[in-house]
Amino acid sequence: MTTLTVEFTGIPKEVLEALVKEGYAKTKAEALRYSLIHIGEELDIVKKRFHVRAEEYAYREIKRGK
């Protein structure tokens, strides 16, 4: 787990508050987590790093007959 204290001002602050106010996230922390995953998906970081792990898991399960 990583804990950060970050100060937001201007547009980033407004976007963060809007994500919560409009119901996209329950808390600012949740909005930040969601935003990081979304950015990771847009930049193919999620796909590159975690797709391989998912394939390896599926292959192991198939070999075990599940």
Side-chain angles (χ1 to χ4, degrees):
M1 176 192 274
T2 299
T3 302
L4 300 172
T5 301
V6 182
E7 184 177 330
F8 290 90
T9 60
I11 292 175
K13 177 184 175 188
E14 292 176 33
V15 170
L16 185 59
E17 290 172 350
L19 288 169
V20 175
K21 184 177 181 179
E22 295 179 21
Y24 292 104
K26 292 180 183 179
T27 64
K28 291 177 184 177
E30 183 179 271
L32 288 171
R33 285 187 210 100
Y34 170 77
S35 299
L36 286 171
I37 291 170
H38 182 73
I39 291 168
E41 288 173 340
E42 277 192 15
L43 300 175
D44 283 335
I45 292 169
V46 171
K47 184 177 179 181
K48 289 176 186 173
R49 298 231 177 138
F50 304 107
H51 180 72
V52 171
R53 286 175 38 196
E55 281 184 344
E56 290 169 352
Y57 173 80
Y59 182 71
R60 282 193 309 270
E61 293 300 304
I62 290 167
K63 283 180 71 175
R64 289 185 351 173
K66 300 220 174 186

